[in-house]
Amino acid sequence: MDRYDICIIGTGPAGVSAALTAKNRNKSILLIGKKDLSNKVIKSHKILNYPGFPDITGTDLVKAMREHLDKMGIEITEEQVTNVFAMGEYFAIQCAKEMYEAKSVILATGVMPGRLLPGEEMYLGNGVSYCATCDAALYKGKEATVLGYSSKEEGEAAFLAEVADRVYYVPVYPDEVGLKDPKIEVIRGIPKEIRRADGKSTLVLDGQEIVSDGIFVLRDSVSPGQLVPGLETEGAHIKTERDMSTSIKGLYAAGDITGTPYQDAKAVGEGNVAAISAAAYLSGAAN
């Protein structure tokens, strides 16, 4: 398995900035994220404080960043990262389909929308999972509930249905659900809580409860405390120093995940600093 110098997780302004800087420092990089970069930036009608680009739209800024990545020969690996483990001399990055290794990691995943459900953190790994592709085999001949926060999670539910006897799919979005498998039952409702008792998991909705063998909570991002075991956080954010270092040696963070203000210009600056710090760490110049 190839071991990269720096793995950058996230393709918003912070992640893109970190990737460009790391590439300029002649580091081997793995950039994991979405090829359309950032939905948050795309939805920005106008960005008024990005130096050199007065009144630029979010769509045009994303296009410019994409072209910059292409010009630098930086590819994006579209994967969902479920865990990052500090292994001493390197990090193991667990994704839905592959496992990667890197000497250092920069987290630029943005902030997770909303809060964790009551019971979600308590039962993670014991009836609650963040990756259907990873854990589907555990539900052979069983029933599972999938809580999908976007329509792209329908593919995960369909994959799970190939193994499980029954899948309950709860969409947390207004779009029409395209799942046609008779083994999948679509149930609409607002999730309130997760409970676990007698080997069964219960998803409490407004008005009903779904009991199954396990619950998959599928969001675009995972809370930083769940993503990296042992990472020091401050609420929904990662605690960092001025060099963007975290409580784990060799792990850096940048962008919205480090706290407010949630500004593109701030994210780009932090991504740059994080990459410079990671490069210094790899050369032995950082503590």
Side-chain angles (χ1 to χ4, degrees), residues 139-143 163-165 213:
Y139 290 86
K140 184 176 182 180
K142 297 183 178 181
E143 295 185 341
V163 178
D165 278 356
D213 293 293

Side-chain angles (χ1 to χ4, degrees), residues 27 29 34 107 148 239 241 267 282:
K27 302 303 178 185
I29 62 174
K34 300 176 181 178
L107 296 178
K239 185 177 180 181
E241 302 298 332
L282 293 172

Side-chain angles (χ1 to χ4, degrees), residues 7 57 72-73 83 169 193 199 203 227 237 240 252-253:
C7 174
T57 66
M72 296 286 290
N83 283 109
Y169 185 73
E193 183 182 1
L203 177 62
L227 186 63
H237 303 124
T240 60
Y252 301 83

Side-chain angles (χ1 to χ4, degrees), residues 182-196:
K183 292 170 63 177
I184 301 175
E185 181 180 348
V186 178
I187 301 174
R188 290 209 176 259
I190 300 174
K192 297 292 186 181
E193 183 182 1
I194 293 175
R195 299 173 185 163
R196 180 82 177 171

